[in-house]
Amino acid sequence: MSPAAAPTAAALPGRALRVRVYADADHRARVLHWERGFAAWLQRASEAVREPLGVTFELESARAWDRRGSNGPLEPVVDALEAADAGEDVDLVVGLVAAPPAFSDSQHELGFARVLGRHCVLRGIDAGLPVEARQRLEVSALLHEWAHTWGAPHVRDGRGWMSPKYDAAHEGFDARTLALLDAGRRHLPGARVELAAQKAWARELRAAVEGMSGPAWEGPERDFLLEWTDRVRAASVVLGPEGTPRSLTPLERQRLAEVIALEKAGRVEVAAEVMEPLAVRHPHDERVQLLACYLAVRLTPGAEATRQRCERAAARFPSEPSLRMNVALLHLHAGRFDEARDSLLAARRNLEARTDVEPVQWADLAGLFLRAHCVTWAEQTANRAPGLAASSAVLEQAALLRRQVALRPHGDAPPTVDPMREGFLVRSVIDIEALLHAGASGPARERITALAREFPETPSVMLVQCELHLLQGRLGAARTACERVLAFREDAVQAHLLLGVLATNTRAHARARAHLERVIALEPSRTEAWHLLAREYRGTRLLRPLQTRYREQFARDLP
């Protein structure tokens, strides 16, 4: 060890590493008072690294591990340990298994750790060895595997703890390994979960590994470390030991299940609060980001942060239809109908590309198309999920909207307008009618003129032209426009109502009654038609039957 290169305890703040240990059934059966024995094991390891590294090990807890079988390779045992305890709240998780049938001088026969991981497995040491040799071997095995978790590779011609072979004369870490471990001491455990800390650790780790040149360090471990640091430097998310975005730990999967249960129970705010740390730590987990977007849409649909979150997720997982639908919902909330339409079309393409689509997904998409006033696409999509109440509701509402704005019935050819422009036409008609009802005939006239240029000879435009003419007292022009609407679509309920009003005002009683009765037949909820019809029937024997029908419809008397 080079004194100039090795850190000293005086230069380093002391740091205690929390260790959780599990002992399997075989180890517990062979080692009496194993908890106390492992605590002493940690104490000896602490004494060995306290001065050169300024770290010590403290036992967080000792737990029984419900597994058996000590023979065979140790890597699958590490896999099982990781599955049993993610170890997010400690620095190291150790699994103890029974001693091998015969002593081996290979370190990997005594223990195994995943490089840059958080877990290691150690075999018990044969009690037949002399006490001093066994204790030296225990310290060597523990520190060897722990150093792997901080990135230290083997030193093939060295005589220290990172040698692939055990020798009673080996002890200590060489200067380059100490420099590498010092980087871990300063950046871990934050570098496992925070991007900036991981990038800083990766820079120092790479510098240390690049200094490990020569046959002593050549091999797959060094290559792996260089590749991993390259990936970290280019990454936009925290990476796991495999060099891929961190996957959910068992504890995090449990938290995700809690979030889902909270949302189902109606506790959306609490669910979003529990969800947030998972969403930050796992930006590349599709399920996490989908749920985070959904919760944000439910809580704060108007927030810019919600839109950015959902659009990032949709860009990252472009084949997920639910994300596209959530983004569309945000656009609808903000009145960005064209953007909503485009997101819904992308969601439809995603669903069409899948073979395992649930019918309810088609029904949900149909409902959103209808909210965007894309009537044709709403009907087409609802028909992909026949029999569902939600689909039936969409079809019923779409048919009602078609009558209200005088679109051709679904399935008629050719369609009145291109489905791509249909939503704009429907919204324009609705907006113009609102202006007319508010008495803003000037702005309404300007909108109608522009709409007529864009959609010439369209029944929907003729409908609002009829209403404008009626309000302006141009009764002949109004009658002509509304009758042209009915020539395209006989059940255009608004045209019947307008013609009923016009006929009432001109004392054309028979025509007024016919149009108003048609309104009531098409849409019984149109109370204005009932009231006008009552005026037409006043003083006749038809008034009483009308009053009875009204009472049956609304459970109150006709005013």
Side-chain angles (χ1 to χ4, degrees), residues 402-406 433 459-460 462-464 466-467 470 478-503 511 515-516 518-519 522-523 526:
R402 279 187 181 277
R403 288 199 304 268
Q404 290 172 344
V405 300
E433 288 185 337
S460 302
M462 296 175 193
L463 180 64
V464 288
C466 170
E467 190 161 358
L470 183 60
R479 181 182 298 110
T480 299
C482 272
E483 287 177 348
R484 292 184 66 191
V485 172
L486 293 180
F488 278 98
R489 172 141 202 172
E490 188 283 329
D491 61 352
V493 66
Q494 185 69 5
H496 280 294
L497 180 62
L498 294 173
L499 286 171
V501 172
L502 189 155
R511 188 180 300 130
H515 285 299
L516 295 172
R518 185 61 175 143
V519 172
L522 290 169
E523 293 182 19
R526 293 278 192 127

Side-chain angles (χ1 to χ4, degrees), residues 14-20 42 46 49 53-60 90-92 143 146 149-150 184-185 188-189:
R15 180 176 165 200
L17 305 180
R18 301 173 74 240
V19 180
R20 181 178 299 145
L42 284 184
S46 296
V49 292
L53 276 173
V55 300
T56 56
F57 299 95
E58 66 177 28
L59 184 60
E60 182 265 351
V90 293
D91 296 282
L92 181 67
L143 295 178
W146 162 73
T149 68
W150 281 22
R185 182 196 60 80
L188 291 171

